[in-house]
Every structure is written in structure tokens, then in C-alpha cells.
């Protein structure tokens, strides 16, 4: 590994990787990090909204955003590898290390949609969306974590940060988005596990559930007007050493509002009557119904029809 010293505290001079940074939220994050003095690796394949096609040439979105940063006086390099492959994820981290000598922050943002109702959802649609969101997060995180673990074993732990991207669909579900919701729920679970496992190496791992109008959301949430750059300040803070002590959290972020999301917690509980064999189908049903009367009603799935009056 490179022998340079990890980044100092704060936001300036950090080396940041942002996946899916050619458009929308990723582009906004990359520009925001650069504006704070970070050096940015801009990753993007340049695919269409549904993941088809590729625009990874010099006129593609990754190169365009990197040039935009450089034109504003910042420092950026483009990376056009597929982060949902072993080779692409490895080359992404290698680009940061070869270009800037270290990696301080990983922002996992790349993704696309193939929305279908469950009865129309194909296996290919399922696999493609799970691949880019869940596997893409995992592979880049694993590559970055290996580098940070090596630093820690050398006695030079980094103030490293990972910001993953989930969604309201991953927290509550989304009608017509079974594949996307499952992938984004997986991102939350991965975030919690990674935060626990990587803490000894000086790595903090958090997730955001952003709400902003991008090409991914405009078809699903036509009335959404929040801009991508209104989400980026939270991402920059989470990706900096200023966020010391914050890990294993999920934040919902939209225009002017940040919310700490709270996941599954034990609710009302019942114990099987005894002595005896414990629950039976005849006794557990009434007990479960009684518990539900004391439980908090779940928030509705996005896009679900309201119950009939």
C-alpha cells in the first residue's frame, strides 16, 4: 500500500470517490466535495436510466463532471469502470491510490431503475437492479475496507468514511419497485454490518435516503421539486472527519430537512402461557391480534392506495 499519511481532520484535502457521479445526486455530491477542497474520483458508466448502454468515452458524464471540477479550480479524475464487477471496484480504489496516494471517503451512489409491478417483473429486471445497488455497494466497500484495514494494521488508522445510498423505498417499500426496494433495504443492512465490522479500523459507515428530483425520481415522484445539491451538504459532512463518532446511522435528507431514521425496535410482546407446550395455532392468533392493537401502525408503502373508508 501507499506509504503516505492519511488525511488530516476536516473536509479539505480529502480524497473522495463518488460512484454514479456523472449526473443527478452523484454529480451534486462530487461538486460539493470539490468545493470544500477535496480531490474527487468521479465514477460513472454513463448508462441510461434503466442501466442499458454505456457512455464512457471522453465525452461521457464522468469525464464531463471531472472537467467541470477542474475548470472551477478543483482536482478530479474520471473513472468509467463498472463498480458491480470485481475488476471495476478494484480499479476504482486503485485509481484513487494511484492518482492521489490515498482514499479517505467512499460515497456509494450508482444505481438505476427497472420499475415493474411484481407480476410483470422479470428475473433479469430483478438481477440487474440488485446487482448495481446491492452488489455495487458491497464490492466497492470491500475494496476500500481492505485498504483501510491495511493502514490500521500498519499503525496508521485513517479517519475513513463511507456514505451509502438507500431510499425511502428501501425503508418503507414502493409499489412497482419490488426489486429496487429489496436492493435498497439490503444497502441498509450492509451499512449496519459494515459500521460494526470496520469500526476497529477507523472507518465510519452511514447511509442516506435522499429525496431530490433527478432523472431516476421524476417518473415516480412527479411533484418532487427538491434539488440534488440540497442533499449534498449532509453527504459532505458525513464524508468528512468533522462527523467523528457518527456511524451505523440512516438519514433521510431532502430540501431543508434532515431526519434520523429509526429502524426496527421491539414492540409489544406476549409470552406463551405455561406450563405446557407453549403456543398453539389456536392460542397464538388471538395473542398476536392483541399485540397488534397495542403496536404502532406502520407507515404506508410509497404509492400504496389508501384503505377504503
Amino acid at each position: 500500500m501507499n506509504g503516505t499519511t492519511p488525511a488530516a481532520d476536516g473536509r479539505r484535502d480529502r480524497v473522495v470517490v463518488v460512484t454514479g457521479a456523472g449526473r443527478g445526486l452523484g454529480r451534486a455530491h462530487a461538486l460539493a466535495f470539490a468545493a470544500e477542497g477535496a480531490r474527487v474520483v468521479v465514477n460513472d458508466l454513463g448508462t441510461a436510466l434503466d442501466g442499458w448502454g454505456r457512455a464512457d468515452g471522453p465525452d461521457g458524464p464522468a469525464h464531463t463532471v471531472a472537467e467541470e471540477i477542474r475548470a472551477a479550480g478543483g482536482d478530479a479524475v474520471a473513472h468509467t469502470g463498472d463498480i458491480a464487477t470485481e475488476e471495476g471496484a478494484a480499479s476504482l480504489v486503485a485509481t484513487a491510490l494511484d492518482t492521489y496516494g490515498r482514499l479517505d471517503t467512499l460515497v456509494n451512489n450508482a444505481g438505476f431503475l427497472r420499475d415493474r409491478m411484481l407480476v410483470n417483473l422479470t428475473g433479469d429486471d430483478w438481477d440487474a437492479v440488485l446487482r448495481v445497488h446491492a452488489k455495487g455497494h458491497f464490492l466497492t466497500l470491500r475494496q476500500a475496507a481492505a485498504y483501510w484495514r491495511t493502514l490500521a494494521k500498519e499503525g496508521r488508522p485513517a479517519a475513513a468514511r463511507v456514505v451509502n445510498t438507500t431510499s425511502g423505498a428501501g425503508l418503507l417499500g414502493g409499489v412497482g419497485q419490488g426489486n429496487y426496494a429489496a436492493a435498497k433495504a439490503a444497502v441498509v443492512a450492509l451499512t449496519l454490518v459494515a459500521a460494526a465490522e470496520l469500526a476497529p479500523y477507523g472507518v465510519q459507515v452511514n447511509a442516506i435516503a435522499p429525496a431530490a428530483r433527478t432523472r431516476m425520481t421524476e417518473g415516480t415522484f412527479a411533484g418532487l421539486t427538491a434539488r440534488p445539491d440540497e442533499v449534498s451538504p449532509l453527504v459532505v459532512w458525513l464524508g468528512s472527519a468533522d462527523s467523528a463518532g457518527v456511524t451505523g446511522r440512516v438519514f433521510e435528507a431532502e430540501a431543508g430537512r434532515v431526519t434520523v431514521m429509526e429502524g426496527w425496535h421491539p414492540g409489544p410482546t406476549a409470552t406463551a402461557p405455561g406450563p405446557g407446550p407453549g403456543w398453539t395455532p389456536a392460542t397464538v392468533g388471538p395473542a398476536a391480534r392483541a399485540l397488534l392493537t397495542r403496536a404502532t401502525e406502520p407507515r404506508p408503502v410509497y404509492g400504496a392506495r389508501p384503505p377504503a373508508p
Side-chain angles (χ1 to χ4, degrees):
M1 293 293 178
N2 189 283
T4 56
T5 301
D9 289 345
R11 299 179 298 276
R12 296 196 59 80
D13 198 39
R14 290 182 73 80
V15 176
V16 179
V17 163
V18 184
T19 70
R23 304 181 180 97
L25 283 165
R27 173 181 174 272
H29 301 340
L31 294 177
F33 274 108
E36 293 291 328
R39 292 171 284 175
V40 185
V41 179
V42 179
N43 162 266
D44 204 291
L45 269 175
T47 66
L49 177 60
D50 58 5
W52 295 109
R54 185 165 180 163
D56 55 359
D59 295 328
H63 289 280
T64 299
V65 173
E67 178 55 36
E68 186 176 357
I69 290 172
R70 292 191 293 267
D75 195 346
V77 62
H79 177 271
T80 58
D82 183 353
I83 51 87
T85 66
E86 299 274 359
E87 298 78 11
S91 69
L92 176 64
V93 173
T95 296
L97 300 182
D98 294 344
T99 306
Y100 299 120
R102 67 171 189 266
L103 172 61
D104 303 306
T105 299
L106 168 64
V107 179
N108 278 315
N109 170 77
F112 55 74
L113 298 173
R114 291 189 188 176
D115 288 356
R116 301 280 192 281
M117 300 298 281
L118 284 174
V119 294
N120 297 319
L121 189 65
T122 69
D124 286 344
D125 292 333
W126 177 272
D127 290 344
V129 171
L130 267 290
R131 175 184 179 274
V132 67
H133 291 280
K135 189 175 182 181
H137 272 65
F138 158 67
L139 289 178
T140 56
L141 179 52
R142 186 181 65 179
Q143 289 291 331
Y147 164 68
W148 291 322
R149 181 179 62 178
T150 298
L151 287 181
K153 287 184 175 181
E154 293 173 352
R156 302 181 297 122
R161 304 287 185 264
V162 178
V163 183
N164 290 329
T165 306
T166 182
S167 166
L171 303 175
L172 300 176
V175 171
Q177 294 187 307
N179 51 357
Y180 179 71
K184 289 305 193 184
V187 168
V188 173
L190 177 63
T191 298
L192 301 181
V193 172
E197 291 186 355
L198 302 183
Y201 310 134
V203 183
Q204 294 181 184
V205 187
N206 294 285
I208 62 161
R213 187 171 182 82
T214 68
R215 64 174 187 155
M216 278 184 60
T217 60
E218 62 185 0
T220 306
F221 302 107
L224 191 60
T225 59
R227 302 188 313 273
D229 61 0
E230 294 176 304
V231 174
S232 298
L234 175 62
V235 176
V236 171
W237 182 76
L238 287 172
S240 76
D242 295 343
S243 63
V246 180
T247 193
R249 294 288 192 167
V250 178
F251 295 84
E252 188 176 64
E254 59 181 293
R257 186 168 67 92
V258 172
T259 303
V260 178
M261 303 301 288
E262 298 181 337
W264 294 104
H265 297 283
T269 302
T271 302
W279 294 115
T280 68
T283 60
V284 76
R289 288 189 179 278
L291 292 177
L292 290 171
T293 64
R294 296 157 48 201
T296 302
E297 283 290 325
R299 291 175 61 187
V301 170
Y302 284 107
R305 295 180 180 178

